[in-house]
Amino acid sequence: MKTPGKVILVGAGPGDPELLTLKALKAIRSATVLLVDDLVSDEVVEHAAPDARVVHVGKRGGCKSTPQSFIDRMMVSAARDGETVVRLKGGDPFIFGRGGEELEQLRAAGIEVEVVNGITSGLAAVTSLSVPLTHRDHAHGVVFITGHAKPGAKGPDWRLLAATARDARLTLVIYMGVRGAQRIEEALLAELPPATPVAIVQSASRPDQRQAVCELRELCTTLAREDLTSPSVIVVGDVMKGLLAAAAQRRTKVA
């Protein structure tokens, strides 16, 4: 009789391999089967054991993706065969990584599951700009929210969210918001000042990271002008005031 295996849901962080946690590194090295998401960097995967079976199961918005049901079946089957399965996810498994759904499926199948946190891209994005998500003078809290709703589901109420962010002094960190940027900009402008600072960070923490800072009313025009695409994080709030002022000063000097 085979000894049952297990599944470890591991957050690989935003891309920079040096942001990988020691616990994540230990889990990756222990894997006999590694199921790797599309946004996980090759430098992270290189930490796998030489004899580990590495399977790329890309899942990126707007691109052809491996069906979630297929990934679930692979994890259950491999664990039942006695494998140590690491499901390697970009960022953190429990922040827009479908980790909660996978945990439910695995537990329902009687599979032992562990979870290892990773640094989420929303945090890495603003840190790369030397900006905090919270600040006693500017933001009393932060909201992580997705701009991409599940097919058939109603998306966030952006106008209500903007009013809450304004009244409670919150920073908004929007994942997967590029495709719906026009709708998001229009709804946020209904409750937030047009000059509210915004940062857009593409491929946070990676060597090819690109970013732009603008006012909320310029969100869509900035995305188009700078050709910023997914994967990008959009950060809205007064914590970027200094960054926006510095960018305006640079433009004035150039002019």
Side-chain angles (χ1 to χ4, degrees):
M1 184 176 178
K2 293 180 180 178
T3 302
K6 65 179 180 180
V7 175
I8 313 174
L9 307 179
V10 177
D16 181 350
E18 292 188 354
L19 293 179
L20 198 65
T21 68
L22 291 174
K23 192 167 186 177
L25 180 62
K26 182 179 178 182
I28 292 167
R29 287 174 172 169
S30 74
T32 58
V33 176
L34 206 65
L35 303 182
V36 184
D37 266 357
D38 191 44
L39 295 177
V40 176
S41 65
D42 293 339
E43 292 84 357
V44 169
V45 179
E46 285 174 2
H47 289 294
D51 57 347
R53 181 159 63 98
V54 178
V55 183
H56 291 274
V57 288
K59 295 192 75 63
R60 185 185 296 195
C63 302
K64 186 176 181 181
S65 299
T66 305
Q68 185 63 49
S69 58
F70 178 76
I71 296 172
D72 292 341
R73 289 196 299 272
M74 284 186 67
M75 289 191 291
V76 170
S77 176
R80 285 177 173 166
D81 284 342
E83 306 279 8
T84 298
V85 182
V86 165
R87 175 77 169 99
L88 198 55
K89 296 170 169 291
D92 182 274
F94 282 177
I95 300 182
F96 308 121
R98 301 196 185 186
E101 298 172 33
E102 293 179 349
L103 182 71
E104 291 168 359
Q105 292 293 324
L106 291 164
R107 283 181 171 170
I111 304 299
E112 180 186 348
V113 189
E114 296 178 19
V115 181
V116 178
N117 293 117
I119 294 175
T120 183
S121 60
L123 176 57
V126 292
T127 300
S128 73
L129 303 176
S130 298
V131 173
L133 281 174
T134 63
H135 189 291
R136 287 192 298 175
D137 296 332
H138 304 301
H140 295 162
V142 58
V143 175
F144 293 104
I145 191 160
T146 177
H148 179 68
K150 184 178 180 181
K154 185 179 179 182
D157 185 332
W158 293 105
R159 182 166 182 168
L160 177 60
L161 186 62
T164 303
R166 179 198 63 215
D167 297 341
R169 300 181 70 188
L170 305 175
T171 303
L172 301 181
V173 181
I174 305 168
Y175 293 66
M176 298 169 281
V178 171
R179 196 190 308 180
Q182 184 69 51
R183 172 175 48 86
I184 293 170
E185 177 184 324
E186 291 172 358
L188 293 183
L189 283 171
E191 301 293 343
L192 290 173
T196 300
V198 173
I200 308 135
V201 183
Q202 178 181 316
S203 301
S205 86
R206 294 170 178 264
D208 59 342
Q209 174 178 319
R210 298 173 60 236
Q211 62 275 329
V213 183
C214 64
E215 295 180 350
L216 179 57
R217 59 187 157 199
E218 303 168 330
L219 172 58
C220 290
T221 56
T222 301
L223 283 168
R225 184 184 68 245
E226 301 295 332
D227 192 28
L228 292 166
T229 58
S230 296
S232 289
V233 175
I234 300 170
V235 187
V236 182
D238 286 346
V239 290
M240 261 92 58
K241 272 186 174 179
L243 203 61
L244 184 61
Q249 203 170 44
R250 284 195 298 271
R251 286 195 296 269
T252 301
K253 286 181 179 179
V254 171

